[in-house]
Amino acid sequence: MATLDKTNAGAPIDEDAPGQPISVPDNGDTGESGKLKMIVQLVKKCLGVKDIAAMRLSLPASLLEPIPNLEYWQYLDRPDLFAAINDSDDPFERMLAVLRFTFSKDLKFIRGKVCKPYNSVLGEHFRSHWDIVPVDYPSDPSEPPIQYLYVTPPGEEPISSWLYGPATHSTPDFAHPPFSENASVKSGRSGKSAFSGLSFMSRAHSATAKSTPATSPELIETNLEAGMSNLSLANDTASGVAELQEADAAAADKPRIRIAYLTEQVSHHPPISAFHASCPSRHVELAGVDQISAKVSGTTLRVMPGSFNKGLFVRITGAPGEGETYHITHPIAAVNGLLRGSFYVTVGDSTIVTCSGGAEGKKLRAVIDYKEESWLGRAQFHLEGVIHTYDPKESVHEEWTRVKHVPRERVLAVFDGSWRHKIRWKRVDAPDSEYATLLDLSTLHVIPKTVRPLERQLPNESRKLWDSVTTRLLKKEYSEATKHKLTIEQKQRDEAAERKRKGVKFVPRYFDPDISSGMPTLTDEGRKAIEEEIKEDAEHKLEEDEGPSTPGPTQA
């Protein structure tokens, strides 16, 4: 690769570097106690390691979830909220929309369990799309938009505890459940953000107002045509899934919005992937680089962004917010309960959302403070934040990384709540302003993606590449799954050795090799792949379509 390490500008990434290997032998016990013993062995081996993510980690197949890494890790768990970012003419409303997207993009960690997908191989890629019902807006512009897909009634406030285990009610069971052939795969992505690194272990309404979206429940993938598992990555029995509304009948005739997604593994050592999502009908794009740094501390795995991971970049390419870019940084996350085998996620530090570009003048910026959890008490998952103005010609705002740093006279609005449940907000620059709901995460579930069947996929597309492993895991043939996994990994090592012998560097197919900015650029083939995904047949009428839609691939 032609990229440079941020910490050593003269040292190119060595995608073939083996790193110090860490492995755990298969003890032959595929029950929960056997898996827990292997996890404890792994944790012990990782103690004192500076960065687990930079090392070669080899696990028996029985510890893996039957889903490729690039598919599982992505930031479009609620694509309807992403598509709604550019709906409003008001810059403040667009910032609220970006915050809703930010809080919903990792919904899998609220609705699902912490798990370990397959490690991505160099050059592997994954593509998919979503056809979603656009949100509507209530007559009160302070309220969140109305969503129509995968929603449930509001749940009770969830709490979890280091001492007492995961929360009940709307909180899923994070205990690593037994693999089951009647479970089902959720939407996901490659990667390595502060959240995605967790894979290492293991209302009356009106159309008159325009605000931003906040909806839908988690969808389960059952795309058997694509040869994928139906393994469940969430425990919806704890979240009222019996009342899950997959699609509101009132929205049955509404044209759908398509979002296309593409990701590619651009480096193996360290593991780095690039991704791009596009929603042409709403003029919104998403791009970024996934890489993590991870370290075991006591019974906790701390996960931080790697040096190439600058966060997420949301770009608006058409009116009303044309030219705006929203930069969303990653917080620091932790997987707790490693030695108990009952994992749950906590978040610390802060996330900064900065709007740049677009119209001249002052810009908006948001600071999200994630409250540190007490190691003895129950995890509360609390946060607070502000939306404030800043002058793009100055740099003093870069020092405002916590809510307390922001001068009061710059603050336009405040918000608080739980990143696992409900978040409220209110303006502070308007008289008689009252708190309103920004987003109620207890009502939302992951919306499933659509993936082409295996016979139409390229050999290095994630589902096709890992099909032999997935098939064996679903049959609980763990020894055979491990053999096929090792075959894929050995092939990657052989290809790396051949490149080294020839003096050839790996060049990504879909993304420009220079990822130093953290905002990857699509190559001609990358743009073509996105266009092909956008043009895939649809089961529903799409926005700007003429005439009836034609049948497409099965949605899972």
Side-chain angles (χ1 to χ4, degrees), residues 116-136:
K116 176 67 179 76
Y118 313 138
N119 288 337
S120 302
V121 303
L122 191 61
E124 177 184 343
H125 76 280
F126 177 78
R127 64 178 85 175
S128 64
H129 67 265
W130 291 260
D131 291 339
I132 54 96
V133 177
V135 302
D136 278 328

Side-chain angles (χ1 to χ4, degrees), residues 253-269:
D253 297 328
K254 291 172 69 77
R256 303 253 176 153
I257 299 170
R258 173 159 293 183
I259 297 111
Y261 179 74
L262 174 68
T263 180
E264 180 180 16
Q265 193 75 9
V266 297
S267 171
H268 188 60
H269 292 290

Side-chain angles (χ1 to χ4, degrees), residues 35-51:
K35 291 176 183 177
L36 181 56
K37 288 177 183 177
M38 287 188 280
I39 291 172
V40 171
Q41 289 181 50
L42 177 63
V43 170
K44 288 180 178 179
K45 290 188 176 185
C46 291
L47 288 173
V49 175
K50 184 177 181 181
D51 185 3

Side-chain angles (χ1 to χ4, degrees), residues 33 36 69 147 162 205 289 406 437 518 543 552 554:
S33 61
L36 181 56
N69 199 36
Q147 296 169 272
W162 180 94
H205 64 278
V289 171
V406 183
T437 299
E543 278 191 347
T554 302

